[in-house]
Amino acid sequence: MLLDTYGRVATDLRVSLTDRCNLRCTYCMPEEGLQWLGKSDLLTDEEIVRLIRIAVTRLGITEVRFTGGEPLLRPGLVGIVERCAALEPRPRMSLTTNGIGLKRTAQALKAAGLDRVNVSLDTLRPEVFKTLTRRDRHRDVIDGMAAAREAGLTPVKVNAVLMPGLNDDEAPDLLAWAVENEYELRFIEQMPLDAQHGWKRDGMITAGDILRSLRTRFTLTEEGADERGSAPAERWVVDGGPATVGVIASVTRPFCGACDRTRLTADGQVRTCLFATEESDLRAALRSGAPDEEIARLWKVAMWGKKAGSGLDDPSFLQPDRPMSAIGG
């Protein structure tokens, strides 16, 4: 198992399939994009499947989330999902996506064995979407989410980030829309993972702000810690249920003590935390011919060194050099 010195056991693996993205969200990267990883730096499909197999069969991983960048840009995605679905024991598999390519891929992903999707959508207004993402693709995202729901990739979870002066008034409208369409909405506090290093704690939309806004229209009943478990989102029942809404408050209400995640970047580095400043290289071991036992050992060593928390409240906190697009969400 992947145990750390604080007694936490990682059972949830986040796998970044690419650092590339077809949006340019203001809280993630500059308008001109980034210097993408070279093809030789990226793990191959075979290497990704091998690492997931080691994680599942030797290290106790039960959940696999494919992320990016934008994972739907990975040409071999459907094949990777299909091969991982054949593992014993079979992990539960999900995908975090911007939704643009879901309309054409949802059925194939479901047939390959994907269980569900998380889709990023920060606004219901096409003009605000264009401002936030620097792309005019709002309708593609809406259609992609509907295709995922129809394909059975459920529950479809919606991830929304509220930004001051842009969409900070939309929380109640987003929730009403999600309830109507049977999507599970999760608000995420903006995190210091942008490539521009422009994040500032002052002025960010906090969990408290979001909840106050939602309560102007809805009655929210907290589910409580027993229901939450190791999930990053605190959840509230909406107007007596069955719908729920979640808030992932990584900055103001950190949940590090219950974290059960390990992360693999698109270039084969183990990350113990989104905010980690160190990585452990598995790609070099793969390409030097290391057996599965050695790769599993290296992974265990990496996770043993996981820190107690993200360090966001420490005055000496340094934002990671690698942005969200490179390390996976």
Side-chain angles (χ1 to χ4, degrees):
M1 67 174 64
L2 292 172
L3 178 69
D4 66 36
T5 56
Y6 297 93
R8 296 168 297 192
V9 178
T11 57
D12 185 335
L13 170 61
R14 308 294 171 98
V15 182
S16 175
L17 298 180
T18 178
D19 60 330
R20 296 173 183 262
C21 189
N22 42 10
L23 297 180
R24 297 291 182 270
C25 296
T26 56
Y27 52 76
C28 186
M29 68 174 71
E31 185 170 5
E32 65 272 17
L34 300 170
Q35 182 66 47
W36 309 122
L37 291 167
K39 184 175 181 180
S40 62
D41 295 322
L42 293 171
L43 293 176
T44 65
D45 293 359
E46 183 65 38
E47 288 169 337
I48 289 170
V49 173
R50 183 183 174 197
L51 286 174
I52 293 173
R53 175 176 56 77
I54 291 169
V56 169
T57 62
R58 293 176 178 269
L59 298 173
I61 291 297
T62 59
E63 301 264 348
V64 176
R65 173 85 61 86
F66 298 106
T67 72
E70 174 45 53
L72 293 181
L73 295 179
R74 178 88 187 200
L77 172 61
V78 171
I80 291 170
V81 171
E82 188 171 31
R83 292 168 68 184
C84 291
L87 293 173
E88 292 291 343
R90 181 197 187 281
R92 282 192 55 79
M93 292 182 295
S94 58
L95 177 83
T96 295
T97 172
N98 62 31
I100 288 176
L102 266 181
K103 185 176 181 180
R104 61 177 172 77
T105 56
Q107 290 288 351
L109 287 168
K110 180 63 178 179
L114 193 71
D115 293 301
R116 63 170 191 83
V117 294
N118 282 33
V119 182
S120 298
L121 181 67
D122 303 320
T123 178
L124 298 176
R125 305 176 208 160
E127 70 279 7
V128 176
F129 182 91
K130 188 174 181 179
T131 299
L132 276 168
T133 68
R134 305 184 179 103
R135 298 291 187 271
D136 190 10
R137 306 297 298 272
H138 189 261
R139 173 46 57 184
D140 295 317
V141 180
I142 298 294
D143 290 347
M145 294 171 67
R149 183 185 58 206
E150 291 162 10
L153 293 170
T154 55
V156 175
K157 295 185 179 181
V158 181
N159 297 335
V161 177
L162 298 182
M163 299 293 290
L166 287 174
N167 62 338
D168 51 348
D169 60 337
E170 283 198 68
D173 290 340
L174 280 163
L175 180 53
W177 172 82
V179 171
E180 179 182 355
N181 288 278
E182 299 182 335
Y183 300 139
E184 293 190 14
L185 181 60
R186 301 288 183 268
F187 291 99
I188 304 176
E189 288 183 338
Q190 185 196 4
M191 294 179 284
L193 292 169
D194 59 306
Q196 311 93 297
H197 286 212
W199 177 88
K200 290 181 174 59
R201 184 184 295 266
D202 294 341
M204 65 171 283
I205 308 302
T206 68
D209 297 330
I210 294 164
L211 292 169
R212 279 190 292 273
S213 179
L214 292 175
R215 285 182 169 126
T216 64
R217 196 184 305 179
F218 302 95
T219 299
L220 303 181
T221 306
E222 190 169 5
E223 277 195 337
D226 290 343
E227 291 287 340
R228 181 182 186 184
S230 60
E234 296 177 79
R235 296 202 310 176
W236 285 262
V237 177
V238 180
D239 289 344
T244 63
V245 63
V247 179
I248 300 176
S250 301
V251 178
T252 63
R253 302 183 184 184
F255 40 87
C256 304
C259 181
D260 65 350
R261 284 167 290 289
T262 183
R263 300 175 182 276
L264 187 64
T265 68
D267 55 351
Q269 310 300 305
V270 171
R271 293 183 65 87
T272 61
C273 174
L274 270 176
F275 305 104
T277 54
E278 310 88 18
E279 297 177 337
S280 300
D281 188 3
L282 295 186
R283 185 186 63 191
L286 282 173
R287 295 181 179 178
S288 67
D292 289 357
E293 294 84 355
E294 175 61 11
I295 293 170
R297 186 191 69 81
L298 292 171
W299 207 328
K300 288 180 180 179
V301 170
M303 292 305 296
W304 183 251
K306 185 173 182 172
K307 295 180 180 178
S310 64
L312 280 169
D313 290 326
D314 191 319
S316 64
F317 172 77
L318 293 175
Q319 184 172 334
D321 290 333
R322 302 185 80 182
M324 175 75 84
S325 62
I327 61 181

